[in-house]
Amino acid sequence: MAGGRGLGHILERNLRLDLTVVVNHWLTHSVNLWLTTAMDEIAKAQRAVDRAREQLTATVREARSNGRTWAEIGDELGMSRQAAFKRFGEVTNPANGQKITGGSMTVAQIQQFTEKVFDHIGAGELDELEQLIHPDARKELSQEVIAETWAKVLSEIGGKESYEDTHVVVPAGDRIEDGDSVLGTVVGVTTVNCEAGEVMGRVAVDEKQRIVGLLIVPTDHSPLPF
């Protein structure tokens, strides 16, 4: 009897182990299958977004060729005529006959550039920052002016810690959606979180990704020059 109970105990234990292996294998397979399906759906959705963007660009340019104004197009898209032009515009450079189209810069590039500017400022890398400033703007945006302005920030709310809600707007103020490309001068905007508060940083960037304007102000500052 004791031997029978021992054998039964061994069989029961082995059965539990086998079931555990089967269940774990099933769970692992199910999770992997779910992850694969989810990633496939993400890739499919991204392709659909890309196709929709291409179709929208083609449709807008067709509307322009049929005489529609940027104001009309902007109304349909819920943006200003300038924002519509900067996103979809296409003009010819009279100097060389080459077309200049919307898409010379992406929103992501401007977002990264904006944070890079304040990385340089926060680290005191003013020589590196000066190389990013348009030559015509270097007198107004001198190293002395930038250093003095940042020193005031440090004395009030401490050093830079992080960024929040970095985005891009046209000079008129309309926000440009993530994933879009833009034409001409735009403004990168970010909230610079410091040790004891935050400030708003604004960087006006031309089509060659050169700084043509720089602003460090309280987050509720108004009116804004750009």
Side-chain angles (χ1 to χ4, degrees):
M1 293 294 292
R5 285 197 299 273
L7 179 60
H9 176 71
I10 292 172
L11 290 174
E12 181 181 355
R13 183 187 64 184
N14 288 342
L15 180 59
R16 286 201 303 269
L17 289 174
D18 289 342
L19 285 174
T20 300
V21 170
V22 170
V23 169
N24 286 340
H25 175 75
W26 179 82
L27 287 173
T28 301
H29 176 73
S30 298
V31 169
N32 288 339
L33 181 61
W34 178 82
L35 288 174
T36 300
T37 302
M39 295 306 295
D40 288 343
E41 289 300 316
I42 290 173
K44 185 187 299 183
Q46 183 60 58
R47 288 193 295 270
V49 169
D50 292 341
R51 287 194 299 270
R53 290 186 187 280
E54 292 172 1
Q55 182 179 0
L56 179 58
T57 298
T59 303
V60 167
R61 289 179 179 166
E62 182 180 357
R64 282 289 296 159
S65 67
N66 290 331
R68 294 295 186 177
T69 67
W70 285 115
E72 291 175 317
I73 293 169
D75 285 343
E76 287 296 324
L77 296 173
M79 61 180 68
S80 69
R81 64 180 182 178
Q82 186 184 26
F85 170 74
K86 284 187 172 294
R87 179 174 172 184
F88 301 104
E90 183 178 73
V91 295
T92 300
N93 186 340
N96 54 26
Q98 294 181 350
K99 286 187 175 181
I100 304 172
T101 62
S104 58
M105 299 180 292
T106 66
V107 168
Q109 287 174 326
I110 302 303
Q111 289 171 325
Q112 292 170 2
F113 184 83
T114 299
E115 294 183 359
K116 178 181 178 181
V117 167
F118 288 99
D119 283 343
H120 284 318
I121 293 174
E125 298 168 346
L126 300 184
D127 288 336
E128 290 85 344
L129 178 64
E130 186 174 286
Q131 299 306 309
L132 303 177
I133 300 175
H134 192 292
D136 293 343
R138 287 177 185 171
K139 183 176 181 180
E140 184 177 357
L141 298 175
S142 67
Q143 292 192 21
E144 292 76 15
V145 169
I146 294 171
E148 181 180 344
T149 302
W150 190 247
K152 291 179 180 178
V153 172
L154 291 173
S155 66
E156 293 293 334
I157 57 176
K160 175 185 71 67
E161 292 189 335
S162 63
Y163 303 109
E164 184 177 344
D165 190 30
T166 304
H167 59 279
V168 181
V169 301
V170 298
D174 289 338
R175 185 165 178 157
I176 302 172
E177 294 300 320
D178 293 349
D180 286 342
S181 298
V182 293
L183 171 68
T185 300
V186 293
V187 180
V189 183
T190 190
T191 298
V192 184
N193 294 316
C194 298
E195 297 171 70
E198 57 277 328
V199 292
M200 174 170 54
R202 297 175 72 91
V203 184
V205 185
D206 71 6
E207 69 281 355
K208 294 184 179 179
Q209 286 198 36
R210 297 175 299 188
I211 300 169
V212 293
L214 180 61
L215 195 64
I216 304 172
V217 293
T219 54
D220 59 353
H221 184 82
S222 181
L224 297 167
F226 60 82

